[in-house]
Structure formats: structure tokens, C-alpha cells
Amino acid sequence: MTYEEIKNNKNIRTYIQTADETLIALGYTEHSFAHVTYVAEKAGYIMETLGYPARMVELTKIAGFMHDIGNLVNRVEHSQSGAVMAFRILDNLGFPADEIAQIVAAIGNHDEGTGVPVSPMAAALIIADKSDVRRNRVRNRDISNFDIHDRVNYSVTKAELKINEAHSLIKLKLSVDTHYGSVMDYFEIFLQRMILCRKAAEKLSLQFKLMINEQQLI
């Protein structure tokens, strides 16, 4: 079964949409199809660029698309509940055990609270997930009522994740409009995530660099 088939699976899409509706009620930024598709494509880009086999690239994209379904259960420990959900879904769809194991391990380790880059797939998923910072993830339209997550996401006018030609470095480059959020705001909520990205990059034999407004910060 392919990434495109998973992406168009009616049941999986229902779980993702309903999980995002739960996060709307909790006041979180967008975690729906735009986010999970971005994560799937970026994680796949990382694996493909580094020369991993085509099937592993496909499995990584599947993990990326399904990584946040655990928010349907609860935001707390959503990576673990999502991994359990993914296991049942993929098993029912007839995926072989070795592929399910890789996807479940990646999903179960993508969150900065408990996650560890246990495999290249998990590492690619972590980096792709944490790099999705953008203005249109903010649902709140009242700028005066922004919390810190809204300010940080709204302030990012451009984000680029790229591996260099030598395959030695992965760089997250952000353009931040400091009228809406400061660089310190970014680090207040993203420092732990960026540390995890650095560990994930090391798993892929890469160096991780973060640049904000042309200044290298990590």
C-alpha cells in the first residue's frame, strides 16, 4: 500500500480531521491536513535526499501523514496513543509486521516530551514536524488575543528546510517579523524542539543549523 492510498483513506482522514477539531477546542494551532501533509512530504524529502530506499521513503511519508492522529484521544502523550492507533489501522490494512514496526516506532517518538530519534525514519519525522512553523497555522484572528504559540507562528513569514549538496548539513531558515513575536519568544517554546532536532540530525549523520533573520542561532 502506498502513501497516496493512505492519504486518501476515508477512515484515516476522519481520524485526522476529528483530532484537529479536538485541538481547535483546546486552542491549539492547525494540526490538520496542511500540517500532516507538510510533515509527510518534508520527512520524505529528507530520506530521499539522503539516499534511503524508495520503500523506506514511502513508509516515512505514511508515518508523517499519520503522526498526529493520537490527538483524537488526548493531547497528552498523543504520540504514544497515535502509535497504538496506527498499529491497528495498518495491521487491518494488511501491512507486513516489519513495516508496521518502523512506522509505529517513528510515530511514538516524534514528540519532544518523550521522543527519541530511534531510527532514521523517526529522525526525519521529528525534524519535519518541528520545522512546520508558519503564519497560516494560527487560527485566532484577534492579534491582540494571541498567546505565545500564536505570536511565534504568526511572526514566521517564511520557513525553509534544506539539506546541503554535501549531505552534511540540514538547515532550518526562518524569516521572522518581530512586530508580532520576538526571537526570544521562539526559543521559549521551541528550544526543547530544536535540541531534539539536533539529536535527530545526528542520527542521520547531519549537522543541524537554525537561522533566524540570517543569524545562525544553533
Side-chain angles (χ1 to χ4, degrees), residues 167-216:
H167 296 174
S168 60
L169 171 71
I170 186 165
K171 182 188 295 183
L172 176 58
K173 188 176 180 181
L174 304 177
S175 297
V176 173
D177 183 344
T178 55
H179 286 97
Y180 299 103
S182 69
V183 174
M184 284 305 298
D185 281 343
Y186 181 88
F187 273 98
E188 184 175 337
I189 62 171
F190 276 85
L191 181 58
Q192 191 177 1
R193 301 178 198 184
M194 294 300 98
I195 291 171
L196 183 57
C197 282
R198 185 167 62 188
K199 292 177 181 177
E202 290 170 357
K203 184 70 177 180
L204 295 164
S205 300
L206 297 171
Q207 183 182 2
F208 177 76
K209 286 191 177 181
L210 171 66
M211 294 191 72
I212 299 179
N213 294 346
E214 303 298 332
Q215 298 294 316
Q216 183 178 319

Side-chain angles (χ1 to χ4, degrees), residues 59-84:
L59 296 179
T60 302
K61 291 167 79 172
I62 290 170
F65 192 74
M66 298 180 70
H67 80 281
D68 266 345
I69 58 172
N71 285 308
L72 178 64
V73 179
N74 198 297
R75 179 62 179 171
V76 178
E77 297 183 351
H78 72 280
S79 56
Q80 283 77 34
S81 52
V84 174

Side-chain angles (χ1 to χ4, degrees), residues 12-135:
I12 293 171
R13 293 185 71 84
T14 297
Y15 298 144
I16 292 170
Q17 181 176 345
T18 309
D20 187 54
E21 288 169 0
T22 300
L23 294 184
I24 292 174
L26 295 172
Y28 279 81
T29 53
E30 182 267 326
H31 283 73
S32 190
F33 299 113
H35 172 64
V36 299
T37 301
Y38 171 93
V39 174
E41 298 292 341
K42 285 297 181 182
Y45 154 76
I46 292 169
M47 297 294 279
E48 184 174 23
T49 302
L50 295 178
Y52 284 91
R55 184 57 182 168
M56 188 174 287
V57 173
E58 195 82 351
L59 296 179
T60 302
K61 291 167 79 172
I62 290 170
F65 192 74
M66 298 180 70
H67 80 281
D68 266 345
I69 58 172
N71 285 308
L72 178 64
V73 179
N74 198 297
R75 179 62 179 171
V76 178
E77 297 183 351
H78 72 280
S79 56
Q80 283 77 34
S81 52
V84 174
M85 289 179 65
F87 170 84
R88 184 179 184 278
I89 294 165
L90 298 175
D91 187 43
N92 286 343
L93 289 173
F95 275 70
D98 64 323
E99 293 188 351
I100 294 174
Q102 294 177 69
I103 293 169
V104 166
I107 292 174
N109 279 282
H110 81 267
D111 187 63
E112 66 272 12
T114 55
V116 177
V118 294
S119 67
M121 186 185 298
L125 176 55
I126 286 167
I127 295 170
D129 183 38
K130 307 315 171 195
S131 70
D132 188 17
V133 190
R134 51 188 162 82
R135 178 166 289 186

